[in-house]
């Protein structure tokens, strides 16, 4: 009887842990505020978590790209190699980028990418 009780408890614990993990990962994505490039450049704060839709239009140098938002405004995106999707980076494709705004004194505002997703 104790073994049955322990097995039932373990399965309930695992099911609860898995559903909690799913909820946490969904909640983490909701921490990214949807902004336009224009809003990021003018209204955001350093370290704001945002997501923005547009296109990666140009590679500037290793890990640094130019991104054009839906309304034509442009911002630099810094992408670490581990954040690049398995299929690589697609220039001029509809893209959603989640990342952190970086605003440093005497430097241009840029977005440090955490996640890149293509929209088809």
């Amino acid at each position: 009887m104790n073994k049955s009780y322990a097995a039932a408890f373990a399965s309930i614990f695992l099911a609860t842990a898995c559903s909690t993990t799913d909820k946490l990962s969904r909640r983490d994505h909701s921490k990214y505020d949807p902004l336009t490039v224009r809003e990021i450049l003018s209204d955001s704060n350093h370290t704001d978590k945002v997501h923005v839709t547009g296109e990666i239009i140009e590679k500037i140098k290793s890990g640094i790209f130019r991104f054009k938002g839906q309304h034509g405004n442009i911002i630099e995106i810094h992408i670490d190699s581990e954040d690049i999707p398995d299929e690589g980076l697609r220039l001029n494709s509809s893209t959603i980028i989640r990342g952190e705004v970086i605003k440093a004194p005497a430097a241009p505002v840029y977005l440090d990418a955490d996640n890149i997703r293509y929209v088809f």
Side-chain angles (χ1 to χ4, degrees):
M1 191 99 126
N2 286 339
K3 288 182 183 178
S4 297
Y5 179 76
F9 178 78
S11 65
I12 291 169
F13 176 77
L14 286 173
T16 303
C18 291
S19 69
T20 303
T21 302
D22 288 344
K23 289 176 187 172
L24 287 175
S25 64
R26 270 187 243 121
R27 213 176 315 141
D28 287 343
H29 284 297
S30 69
K31 289 182 182 177
Y32 293 87
D33 292 324
L35 296 180
T36 65
V37 171
R38 182 181 315 149
E39 291 169 328
I40 291 170
L41 294 171
S42 62
D43 300 333
S44 65
N45 296 310
H46 181 66
T47 71
D48 279 355
K49 299 269 189 189
V50 301
H51 86 252
V52 62
T53 303
E55 299 176 347
I56 299 170
I57 57 171
E58 178 183 16
K59 179 177 181 176
I60 298 172
K61 60 182 181 180
S62 180
I64 301 176
F65 300 84
R66 196 162 309 210
F67 183 85
K68 181 173 72 172
Q70 290 179 313
H71 303 290
N73 299 87
I74 295 178
I75 190 170
E76 277 188 10
I77 304 286
H78 293 206
I79 305 171
D80 295 330
S81 58
E82 66 267 9
D83 294 324
I84 294 174
D86 291 339
E87 64 268 20
L89 289 176
R90 296 182 178 164
L91 297 181
N92 303 310
S93 292
S94 186
T95 307
I96 296 174
I97 296 184
R98 287 185 176 90
E100 185 174 315
V101 175
I102 305 298
K103 286 190 170 184
V109 176
Y110 68 90
L111 188 61
D112 187 20
D114 296 330
N115 179 273
I116 299 165
R117 195 176 84 207
Y118 299 107
V119 182
F120 299 101

